[in-house]
């Protein structure tokens, strides 16, 4: 199983989320993580927003990997989001973003999150995978796709 498969659960996949800004995405992630992991939504939002102020986590090609450290979080967790419509994200190519993988790590995280970021960058660099993520009809299909994907050596 990939690192992505180890930190993602089916209930952390949001399909066709209808929001118009980064801020709204981060609010929705905060709400989800508060409900599933017991971490205050404000902690999650502030962590993601302050990281984003340092520079956009948009990679280009319609994808982004917002990430941050959250106090109280016991283990690294991920949230995959496919937006109903792309939103501006200040990506290097200027294109709006429709697929996001939000990575939250404990406050005193090891370098595991760097390995996960590397794996996510590889995943999102595959045009075929981006197309499959956009075309998936159901949460289970997307979960399987993300967990069974294998990084190239």
């Amino acid at each position: 199983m990939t690192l992505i498969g180890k930190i993602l659960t089916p209930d952390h996949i949001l399909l066709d989320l209808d929001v118009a800004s980064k801020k709204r995405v981060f609010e929705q992630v905060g709400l989800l993580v508060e409900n599933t992991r017991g971490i205050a939504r404000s902690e999650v939002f502030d962590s993601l927003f302050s990281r984003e102020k340092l520079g956009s986590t948009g990679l280009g090609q319609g994808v982004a990997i917002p990430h941050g450290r959250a106090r109280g979080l016991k283990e690294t967790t991920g949230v995959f989001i496919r937006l109903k419509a792309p939103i501006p994200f200040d990506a290097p190519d200027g294109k709006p973003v429709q697929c996001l993988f939000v990575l939250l790590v404990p406050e005193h995280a090891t370098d595991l999150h760097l390995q996960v970021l590397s794996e996510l960058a590889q995943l999102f660099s595959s045009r075929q995978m981006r197309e499959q993520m956009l075309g998936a009809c159901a949460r289970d299909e997307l979960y399987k796709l993300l967990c069974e994907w294998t990084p190239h050596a």
Side-chain angles (χ1 to χ4, degrees):
M1 183 182 282
T2 61
L3 292 173
I4 294 167
K6 291 178 182 172
I7 64 166
L8 184 67
T9 55
D11 64 334
H12 273 207
I13 294 177
L14 301 175
L15 290 185
D16 302 323
L17 185 63
D18 193 6
V19 295
S21 68
K22 283 185 201 184
K23 185 178 177 188
R24 296 286 176 251
V25 169
F26 296 164
E27 287 171 352
Q28 290 299 309
V29 171
L31 189 61
L32 177 66
V33 174
E34 182 176 77
N35 289 333
T36 59
R37 300 289 187 270
I39 305 300
R41 66 183 80 175
S42 59
E43 173 67 25
V44 173
F45 178 86
D46 292 346
S47 169
L48 294 171
F49 207 72
S50 28
R51 168 55 190 86
E52 204 64 30
K53 284 181 187 172
L54 299 174
S56 176
T57 54
L59 299 181
Q61 304 297 322
V63 298
I65 309 175
H67 52 281
R69 296 179 184 273
R71 277 192 309 271
L73 192 63
K74 299 280 187 260
E75 55 190 28
T76 300
T77 190
V79 179
F80 179 86
I81 302 165
R82 184 177 71 199
L83 300 174
K84 190 171 186 172
I87 60 170
F89 221 87
D90 303 318
D93 63 1
K95 292 182 180 176
V97 162
Q98 190 165 11
C99 288
L100 303 95
F101 193 100
V102 179
L103 179 64
L104 293 166
V105 298
E107 196 172 19
H108 304 291
T110 62
D111 66 347
L112 171 69
H113 73 284
L114 298 176
Q115 294 168 9
V116 176
L117 284 171
S118 171
E119 199 173 275
L120 287 166
Q122 280 188 52
L123 169 84
F124 281 138
S125 70
S126 164
R127 180 181 185 174
Q128 180 185 0
M129 278 302 292
R130 290 191 311 268
E131 289 171 356
Q132 288 178 303
M133 287 184 267
L134 288 172
C137 297
R139 175 186 286 184
D140 291 345
E141 181 184 351
L142 204 46
Y143 180 71
K144 186 176 179 192
L145 185 68
L146 291 166
C147 289
E148 291 180 359
W149 171 81
T150 41
H152 39 273

